[in-house]
Amino acid sequence: MNSMTSPALGAASSFEDCAPSALANLSAEALYQLAVERGEGEIAKGGPLVVKTGEHTGRSAQDKFIVLQPETKKTIWWDANKAMTPGQFDQLYQDMLAYAGNTELIRQDLRGGADIQYAIKVRVFTEYAWHSLFIQHLLVRPPMNERGGASDFTIIDLPGFKADPATHGCRTGTVIAVDFVRRVVLIGGTSYAGEMKKSVFTILNYLLPEQNIMPMHCSVNVGDKKDSAIFFGLSGTGKTTLSADPDRMLIGDDEHGWSSNGLFNFEGGCYAKMIRLSAKAEPEIYATTKRFGTVLENVVMDPETRELDLDDATLAENSRGAYPIHYIPNASLDGQTTHPKNIIMLTCDAFGVMPPIAKLTPAQAMYMFLSGYTAKVAGTEKGLGNEPQATFSTCFGAPFMPRHPSEYGKLLGQLIDQHDVDCWLVSTGWTGGPHGVGERMPIKETRALLSAALDGSLNNAPMNKDSVFGFDVPVDVPGVDQSILTPRNTWSDPAAYDAQAQKLADMFVENFKIYEAYVSDEIKAAAPNITG
C-alpha cells in the first residue's frame, strides 16, 4: 500500500512538536523506565509491567465514531456505525493538539499487516509510555531503517484528554473518532490501550475488501503439513487459548487477512485474557506473565512480594496481557502462511445446547458467520442478570466492521468455495445444562476434538444430524468422552433441553432477518428449525 500524507489536518507534522526525535521509536527497555518514572506502572516478579486502566477496562464501543464524508457516505454501514461531522472532527483535533502542547508524547512508527504488499504504515502518538509499549507489541515493528517518512494513517492517543459532547459531537468525555479520508484516528478519555489496535483493525476492515482481501477477527495456526486453520470467535470463546497449540505454529491470535497469497497476521503480538489463567491448561500464555516486556492490564499484584494473583477480578474481569508474538515458543516470526484447510467458528454457548463440535456445510458456515453467536454470563459485564444473554456480533466482530456485513460474507463465501475449506462449529461453553446448572466444556476434550478436525480424521467419524440446527454432530470420536458429544444426552431433563434449544433457535432466526435480503436461498435455508 502506497504511503500517503494526511490532507488538511497535517497530523504527523503538528504532533511531531509534542514528540521530539528523542522520544520516537523508543525500545521496550526505555519505555519501561519512562513508565516507572512517570508512575504509570509497576514491575512484578518475573519482570512484567503491571498497569491499571481505571474506569475503562474494555472497549468503549458506544463512543466510537466515523467521520461522515462524501467519500464514505455510501461505503460505511451506518446502521451499526455512528457518524461525526468533519467540523466536529476538526474541532476535536485542534483541542487535542492544544492539550498535547503541554504533554510530552511518544511516537512509534509501525505497520499494520505482516504481508508488506497489503500493509499500512501507522504512526502512533501516545501520552502514556506503557501505551507506546503496548502498541509496539501489538502492531508489526519494521526494521529501524524503514521507520520514519510518510505514514498511511496517524493515531493520536491521549487518555487524559476529555472530549466535550456539545462541541465534539460525541456521547461522553471518551471518544474514538476515525476519519478514513484524512487518515487520522483520535482517541481520548480512555486508558484502555486496546482501542489503538482495534482502530487499526477497523482501518484494514475498510481498506482491504476493495482489493478483494478478506479481513477477519480470528486467530490462525498451522501444522507441519501446512494445514492452516482459522479460528473465528468473539472475546472469551477461546480464540487465543485454542490457537496457542504446542503442536502447531501460531500465526496470530486476533486479526488476519486472507488474500491470493494466503493468510497473514495484521499484528506483531498477542493480547490475551489473563483472568483465571491456568498454567496447566494454557502454559504458553501463562509463561508470558513471568517475562520482562509483557504488559499486564488490571492484574492484581501483591505490593510487597510482587506476586501476581491471576484469579483476583477486583480490578477487572477483563484483565489482559500484551506481549510480542515471539514470546509464544512456536509462533511464526513472519506472520504469514498458506490458504486454510479448516475454519473453526467458536462460540461460548452458555445455554448448554450447542455440541462441542459440529461439521458445517458452506451455507451453514455463512449463516453462522453472519450471525456471530456467543453468549455472555453474569460477571463478565455490568448489568447482566442471572440468565445467559445471547450475543450476535456479525462476522464475529461487528464493532470493527465499517462496511456492511454482506460484503465480508460474500468474500468469505467465495474463498471457502475456491479453496474447498472444511468448516466446523465448536462450543467452548456449557454442557449438561445452561450456565448455573451444567459445567464448562473441558478444554482437554475441546483440544482433542479440534485435533481430530484439523488432522482430517473427524471427517470419517459417524455423524448424526442435529434436529434443531441441522448440522452434523459426531457421535463417536476416539479418545473423547462420548457422553458429551450429543448435548441432549447430557441433560437430566431432555424436555428442558428441547425447550432451551428452541429458545436459542428462535433468537437465531429473529437476529438473521436483517441479513436475509443480502444472502442466497441456500444460506437462508441453513437457518435452525423453529416450531410453534
Side-chain angles (χ1 to χ4, degrees):
M1 196 166 288
N2 294 327
S3 296
M4 303 177 283
T5 56
S6 302
L9 295 174
S13 59
S14 298
F15 273 84
E16 294 282 358
D17 297 335
C18 307
S21 58
L23 293 182
N25 299 308
L26 296 180
S27 66
E29 291 78 8
L31 290 170
Y32 252 68
Q33 180 176 347
L34 198 56
V36 173
E37 287 176 353
R38 291 179 172 185
E40 296 175 7
E42 298 180 281
I43 300 175
K45 186 175 182 178
L49 183 66
V50 179
V51 299
K52 298 175 182 177
T53 63
E55 176 187 359
H56 297 282
T57 60
R59 291 181 299 101
S60 298
Q62 296 304 311
D63 295 310
K64 181 177 177 181
F65 298 84
I66 294 175
V67 179
L68 177 58
Q69 302 271 25
E71 296 90 335
T72 58
K73 187 175 183 180
K74 294 183 178 180
T75 55
I76 298 297
W77 179 31
W78 292 113
D79 289 347
N81 289 281
K82 296 183 177 182
M84 175 179 284
T85 69
Q88 290 166 336
F89 187 86
D90 290 345
Q91 188 61 56
L92 178 63
Y93 175 85
Q94 294 301 328
D95 290 345
M96 291 181 77
L97 184 59
Y99 171 89
N102 299 315
T103 306
E104 188 177 53
L105 301 186
I106 306 162
R107 191 189 92 202
Q108 291 286 344
D109 294 304
L110 303 164
R111 196 170 73 224
D115 187 336
I116 194 67
Q117 184 176 350
Y118 303 114
I120 58 170
K121 294 175 69 176
V122 183
R123 177 161 291 166
V124 186
F125 294 92
T126 62
E127 180 178 4
Y128 293 167
W130 79 261
H131 273 212
S132 189
L133 180 59
F134 172 95
I135 201 63
Q136 183 185 94
H137 288 341
L138 267 296
L139 294 185
V140 178
R141 196 177 187 195
M144 189 63 77
N145 62 356
E146 293 181 15
R147 298 175 210 172
S151 61
D152 296 326
F153 270 82
T154 300
I155 296 175
I156 297 127
D157 170 61
L158 307 178
F161 174 85
K162 298 298 181 185
D164 177 12
T167 303
H168 304 129
C170 49
R171 188 182 69 102
T172 67
T174 299
V175 65
I176 303 97
V178 183
D179 190 328
F180 287 116
V181 175
R182 289 175 285 194
R183 300 179 287 281
V184 177
V185 179
L186 304 176
I187 303 172
T190 174
S191 296
Y192 183 68
E195 297 288 9
M196 292 183 289
K197 89 181 203 82
K198 288 306 184 187
S199 293
V200 176
F201 187 38
T202 300
I203 291 166
L204 290 168
N205 282 336
Y206 182 72
L207 297 177
L208 293 181
E210 291 183 341
Q211 303 176 69
N212 287 319
I213 299 166
M214 178 65 190
M216 302 173 293
H217 187 215
C218 70
S219 56
V220 171
N221 66 21
V222 60
D224 293 338
K225 299 178 181 178
K226 297 185 177 180
D227 51 337
S228 303
I230 292 171
F231 297 77
F232 285 111
L234 299 170
S235 178
T237 59
K239 197 164 76 279
T240 297
T241 298
L242 294 172
S243 58
D245 185 331
D247 296 323
R248 295 172 63 83
M249 179 182 289
L250 177 68
I251 304 300
D253 80 328
D254 197 39
E255 304 165 4
H256 293 80
W258 188 354
S259 73
S260 58
N261 298 335
L263 303 174
F264 64 100
N265 195 356
F266 288 169
E267 302 185 313
C270 300
Y271 193 35
K273 293 193 78 167
M274 291 288 132
I275 194 68
R276 292 177 286 277
L277 187 69
S278 165
K280 182 178 180 181
E282 302 163 273
E284 294 84 8
I285 300 173
Y286 185 86
T288 68
T289 68
K290 308 295 184 183
R291 294 195 61 167
F292 177 90
T294 295
V295 179
L296 296 175
E297 297 176 350
N298 303 313
V299 172
V300 174
M301 179 187 74
D302 186 298
E304 296 297 327
T305 66
R306 302 280 161 163
E307 292 279 359
L308 301 173
D309 185 352
L310 300 178
D311 295 327
D312 190 334
T314 302
L315 296 175
E317 180 72 24
N318 188 37
S319 58
R320 293 269 180 168
Y323 47 88
I325 197 166
H326 68 262
Y327 280 17
I328 301 297
N330 58 331
S332 166
L333 297 184
D334 69 3
Q336 301 181 68
T337 188
T338 57
H339 297 288
K341 300 291 185 184
N342 291 277
I343 289 177
I344 313 296
M345 297 188 181
L346 298 167
T347 179
C348 179
D349 176 35
F351 291 90
V353 299
M354 290 289 189
I357 197 164
K359 181 72 180 291
L360 303 176
T361 66
Q364 289 170 339
M366 294 311 306
Y367 190 94
M368 288 294 171
F369 177 73
L370 289 172
S371 297
Y373 165 69
T374 192
K376 297 176 181 177
V377 297
T380 58
E381 285 187 9
K382 291 181 180 179
L384 290 180
N386 294 325
E387 292 294 316
Q389 179 179 309
T391 298
F392 294 95
S393 185
T394 188
C395 309
F396 293 98
F400 325 117
M401 303 297 165
R403 296 178 179 274
H404 193 278
S406 61
E407 292 191 46
Y408 305 107
K410 182 179 179 181
L411 271 173
L412 182 63
Q414 291 171 345
L415 288 163
I416 288 173
D417 182 63
Q418 180 181 350
H419 297 284
D420 192 26
V421 183
D422 286 329
C423 300
W424 307 87
L425 178 72
V426 170
S427 174
T428 58
W430 273 256
T431 181
H435 173 259
V437 177
E439 297 178 350
R440 194 73 188 263
M441 201 74 70
I443 191 169
K444 179 182 177 182
E445 304 289 2
T446 301
R447 287 195 182 279
L449 289 167
L450 276 174
S451 295
L454 298 179
D455 68 18
S457 61
L458 197 56
N459 284 316
N460 301 317
M463 303 267 186
N464 282 340
K465 195 166 292 292
D466 187 280
S467 61
V468 176
F469 293 94
F471 32 61
D472 289 333
V473 179
V475 294
D476 186 15
V477 180
V480 175
D481 181 0
Q482 188 173 341
S483 66
I484 71 167
L485 294 174
T486 305
R488 192 174 190 271
N489 295 344
T490 68
W491 284 50
S492 60
D493 183 353
Y497 168 86
D498 294 338
Q500 189 84 312
Q502 193 60 60
K503 178 181 177 181
L504 183 56
D506 291 342
M507 293 178 185
F508 265 93
V509 171
E510 182 63 29
N511 171 75
F512 203 80
K513 287 179 179 178
I514 58 175
Y515 308 120
E516 287 182 347
Y518 301 95
V519 301
S520 66
D521 290 341
E522 186 180 13
I523 294 174
K524 284 186 279 191
N529 297 316
I530 58 174
T531 59

